[in-house]
Amino acid sequence: MKIIIGSGRLARHLNHYFNLLDISHHWWNRRTSTLENLDFLLNEASNQESQVYLAISDSAIYPFFEKHLKGKKIQAVHFSGLLSFPEIPSAHPLMSFGNTFFDLSVYEKIHFTISGVTQLSELLPGLKNPYSIISAENKAYYHSLCVLGGNFSQVLIKKMVLELEALQIPKQASELYLNQIIKNTFIELEHVKMIPKDIQRSKESRESLLQKCLPSSGPLVRKDLQTLKTHLEVLAADPFSSVYKSILDLFLTSKSKETNSYENNI
């Protein structure tokens, strides 16, 4: 028996994915059902091999488990990319879920990062998605990378697109440009060797990673100091100026002549 708990985007997409695969399940949330119905479902689940999927906010996961599932012979599964609980294994989908459902082919490609078990089928029987195993101690770092590359990049993209639109440059032009940037990035990454696992501890590994993260073109790569200086000047009153300078500082901190020139001129 499978029960999805929650009313948010993840719960809705998980319910839709199960429907596409004809996986029998129940979906419970406070908006459309009652606690009495939840108790009934959990009692039924206790009498058979069952999974309860906690597709709810991070802060609600353990309180829900403690109130409704602790001590019951039911396997609880949560989907937080950050949190770990000894009693609750997790399967974090590396995907952004919006208000529009995907085709089955897209759902089947979603990569899950699991912890607390060794196979995805232990948590989500019936799904054949790709997956990786991550230790509890690495989850916070893993999740921070997802936010850096996924969520924070959206902030910069929206800033660029909206400001260009104010300059009469249509969204379609930005979309073509950004799609090509993403495509080029992954083409380049095919030729980049994996970095050591101790990237957080080794100075050499961190510097190696930094070099691998350089963009393929632009004034930062060319160390076009005058252009970078001009950008900072025109962004002086912009809230994003500190973001721009942070990226510059990240890549231009060596004691090379170019860096000294940068420091003297910016």
Side-chain angles (χ1 to χ4, degrees):
M1 185 173 180
K2 295 175 173 59
I3 306 172
I4 299 171
I5 305 294
S7 60
R9 293 179 181 180
L10 175 58
R12 296 198 298 271
H13 278 268
L14 190 60
N15 173 68
H16 186 65
Y17 188 14
F18 281 5
N19 286 336
L20 291 174
L21 292 174
D22 291 322
I23 294 177
S24 177
H25 67 285
H26 300 272
W27 180 19
W28 184 92
N29 64 79
R30 296 181 186 276
R31 296 179 182 178
T32 61
S33 194
T34 64
L35 288 175
E36 288 76 15
N37 180 247
L38 174 64
D39 290 337
F40 174 80
L41 289 173
L42 294 180
N43 286 333
E44 288 290 308
S46 297
N47 297 321
Q48 54 189 291
E49 184 177 338
S50 302
Q51 291 86 29
V52 173
Y53 299 111
L54 305 180
I56 53 183
S57 63
D58 282 10
S59 61
I61 292 171
Y62 199 78
F64 186 98
F65 172 81
E66 196 167 39
K67 182 176 182 179
H68 299 287
L69 298 172
K70 196 168 187 178
K72 290 184 170 67
K73 294 181 179 179
I74 300 174
Q75 182 180 53
V77 180
H78 75 86
F79 298 92
S80 171
L82 172 66
L83 300 180
S84 295
F85 307 100
E87 311 101 312
I88 320 174
S90 68
H92 179 253
L94 192 53
M95 175 56 70
S96 177
F97 297 104
N99 293 319
T100 304
F101 293 130
F102 305 133
D103 293 333
L104 177 59
S105 60
V106 175
Y107 284 112
E108 290 177 327
K109 293 176 183 177
I110 295 174
H111 194 99
F112 283 84
T113 305
I114 64 174
S115 61
V117 294
T118 58
Q119 296 183 44
L120 181 65
S121 59
E122 297 178 61
L123 304 179
L124 291 158
L127 271 61
K128 298 181 180 180
N129 291 64
Y131 66 92
S132 299
I133 301 171
I134 191 168
S135 64
E137 65 180 6
N138 284 328
K139 285 196 71 175
Y141 185 58
Y142 155 80
H143 196 248
S144 71
L145 296 176
C146 293
V147 172
L148 273 174
N151 300 139
F152 288 179
S153 63
Q154 281 189 311
V155 176
L156 298 178
I157 289 171
K158 289 178 179 179
K159 161 74 172 175
M160 186 200 91
V161 174
L162 293 174
E163 295 279 19
L164 288 183
E165 193 173 30
L167 297 174
Q168 306 304 311
I169 299 172
K171 286 188 177 73
Q172 293 82 354
S174 294
E175 181 179 8
L176 180 63
Y177 168 68
L178 291 168
N179 283 339
Q180 190 62 44
I181 290 292
I182 293 296
K183 182 178 179 180
N184 291 347
T185 298
F186 279 92
I187 290 174
E188 292 165 11
L189 284 171
E190 291 179 1
H191 307 289
V192 175
K193 294 181 180 179
M194 185 182 298
I195 60 173
K197 293 181 179 180
D198 62 346
I199 55 175
Q200 289 179 291
R201 295 182 291 273
S202 165
K203 179 180 177 182
E204 292 75 16
S205 296
R206 291 197 301 270
E207 291 178 350
S208 175
L209 173 61
L210 200 57
Q211 291 305 309
K212 296 179 191 299
C213 290
L214 274 168
S216 57
S217 62
L220 182 59
V221 177
R222 299 190 299 270
K223 291 190 177 179
D224 185 344
L225 305 179
Q226 186 56 52
T227 296
L228 297 173
K229 178 184 177 182
T230 301
H231 289 172
L232 282 180
E233 290 173 349
V234 77
L235 288 170
D238 192 298
F240 281 76
S241 62
S242 59
V243 178
Y244 195 105
K245 190 173 187 306
S246 293
I247 298 297
L248 293 188
D249 291 342
L250 187 64
F251 287 97
L252 301 177
T253 53
S254 67
K255 295 181 180 179
S256 64
K257 292 181 180 179
E258 292 89 348
T259 302
N260 290 333
S261 177
Y262 154 75
E263 292 172 344
N264 291 331
N265 287 282
I266 292 183

